[in-house]
Amino acid sequence: MATDQTSVRPVTKAVVTVAGLGTRFLPATKATPKEMLPIVDKPAIQYVVEEAVAAGLDDVLLVTGRNKNAIENHFDRNWELEAALEAKGDLERLKRVRESAVIADLHYTRQGDPRGLGHAVLCAARHVGQEPFAVLLGDDLIDERDPLLTTMLDVQARHGGSVVALMQVPRDQINLYGCAAIEGEPDDLGAVTIVDLVEKPPVADAPSNLAIIGRYVLDPGVFDVLRETDPGRGGEIQLTDALRRMAVSGEHGPVHGVVFTGRRYDTGDRLEYLKTVVRLAAERADLGPDFSTWLKGYVTEELGR
Ligand code: UTP
């Protein structure tokens, strides 16, 4: 149902997918989900859950795979640790340790076989029910200074249907992403209409350089479409394929895109992960000054040789 009231957002639930194999990070991810890798001193997944909460979605379902215990434990109380920190009088760390346990109303479901992002989203069907909902990829970080999800929720409230986050990438990298064909000019929220989607197209066939990034607001009709979606690229059930059908047919409402121009960190890729850690460490008030001084020296003296 379309509405012009951007202030009325029907979305209350977020689904965060963390069930992938994380093969690019092996062997680190043999026994630990990649979403638990630290970005300085906080695991990537915590940034993502905090982002959902900041957008007003504090009912968060994590779709987990093997090794889910580390994630569940991170978002749980750790009485022994808390008692030890309290005894030492380390109240600052105590606060940070407790924070992750009260962050949101967290739920968990298992994907079982990691049969693709579309399949992971389908695992959320029972929890989500008949409401529109957000999907956040657990290894994809959006800088809190550049809120994206809030805009996407506003777009969904205005137009109904589904909303996909897009980002311009260099043309020769579009084959690494889902790619969107759009129509028309952006409205005042920056929303464009998506008319086609294709998962990881060859560069020569890509309809644009607009890549799908890891944020979605979806109509619950996507579950019916996913149930009928055959495995696609890589033998996986692709969310992009289901959204393509919705965009082309118009069933379950329009599919809009929001072109994001802010800071995004793809922590599932080793090079991007390293850049993220360096950048966020350099910006930290506590570590930044010392780290930046060392980094400048390292770059000019060691790498400059
Ligand atoms: P990726 O495409 O990064 O795949 O998944 P991956 O398996 O996690 O990592 P690599 O490529 O082997 O290194 C994107 C997002 O979708 C989730 C992942 O956890 C990540 O958040 N995902 C992917 C699932 O939850 N289940 C799947 O079957 C596949």
Side-chain angles (χ1 to χ4, degrees):
M1 184 182 63
T3 163
D4 274 319
Q5 295 295 312
T6 52
S7 55
V8 181
R9 297 200 197 118
V11 181
T12 60
K13 292 177 182 163
V15 173
V16 182
T17 57
V18 289
L21 290 177
T23 50
R24 286 168 290 171
F25 258 102
L26 284 170
T29 47
K30 185 178 171 193
T32 308
K34 67 175 165 182
E35 292 81 2
M36 282 302 293
L37 294 175
I39 309 300
V40 187
D41 51 12
K42 196 159 79 173
I45 184 66
Q46 189 173 334
Y47 289 87
V48 176
V49 171
E50 285 173 351
E51 181 194 336
V53 173
L57 313 179
D58 62 357
D59 178 323
V60 180
L61 174 74
L62 290 147
V63 181
T64 63
R66 74 210 200 300
N67 303 325
K68 71 160 185 169
N69 293 354
I71 294 179
E72 283 200 5
N73 289 343
H74 180 71
F75 289 114
D76 199 357
R77 299 293 292 266
N78 183 331
W79 298 102
E80 271 178 12
L81 182 59
E82 288 180 27
L85 290 170
E86 206 158 10
K88 280 207 285 182
D90 193 344
L91 300 185
E92 184 51 39
R93 286 204 180 83
L94 179 64
K95 183 169 159 277
R96 297 201 75 202
V97 160
R98 278 189 181 148
E99 257 166 20
S100 59
V102 293
I103 216 169
D105 182 10
L106 285 170
H107 307 268
Y108 299 89
T109 192
R110 290 293 275 252
Q111 187 183 7
D113 262 1
R115 292 167 55 201
L117 178 60
H119 181 248
V121 170
L122 190 50
C123 294
R126 185 184 288 262
H127 181 84
V128 167
Q130 288 307 308
E131 302 162 22
F133 63 105
V135 172
L136 298 86
L137 304 199
D139 59 349
D140 208 342
L141 270 55
I142 301 294
D143 198 298
E144 61 181 354
R145 295 164 290 186
D146 303 321
L148 165 65
L149 194 53
T150 311
T151 306
M152 295 174 69
L153 294 169
D154 285 343
V155 170
Q156 199 281 337
R158 178 184 291 180
H159 296 289
S162 301
V163 187
V164 176
L166 303 173
M167 198 163 186
Q168 290 198 331
V169 298
R171 179 97 201 169
D172 61 356
Q173 288 173 23
I174 193 68
N175 58 326
L176 304 173
Y177 297 87
C179 174
I182 62 165
E183 198 175 74
E185 291 302 309
D187 68 9
D188 58 317
L189 289 173
V192 288
T193 303
I194 293 182
V195 291
D196 201 2
L197 290 162
V198 47
E199 182 63 20
K200 300 195 171 95
V203 172
D205 301 342
S208 75
N209 67 339
L210 289 172
I212 303 174
I213 57 171
R215 298 293 179 271
Y216 307 81
V217 179
L218 300 177
D219 183 275
V222 73
F223 295 127
D224 285 339
V225 179
L226 281 168
R227 283 186 195 100
E228 294 171 3
T229 301
D230 292 327
R233 217 191 137 83
E236 297 192 335
I237 297 174
Q238 298 287 355
L239 181 58
T240 306
D241 291 345
L243 290 172
R244 173 177 197 270
R245 184 173 130 189
M246 290 160 71
V248 171
S249 70
E251 56 186 319
H252 310 299
V255 180
H256 283 92
V258 170
V259 182
F260 183 59
T261 54
R263 287 157 282 195
R264 166 189 177 249
Y265 313 112
D266 176 7
T267 67
D269 175 84
R270 287 174 306 166
L271 184 59
E272 293 301 317
Y273 171 82
L274 290 172
K275 291 182 197 170
T276 304
V277 173
V278 168
R279 185 192 276 247
L280 296 189
E283 290 175 1
R284 284 269 293 252
D286 52 351
L287 293 164
D290 285 350
F291 180 61
S292 301
T293 304
W294 172 82
L295 189 61
K296 279 181 206 149
Y298 177 68
V299 169
T300 49
E301 285 154 34
E302 308 222 12
L303 295 185
R305 268 189 270 159

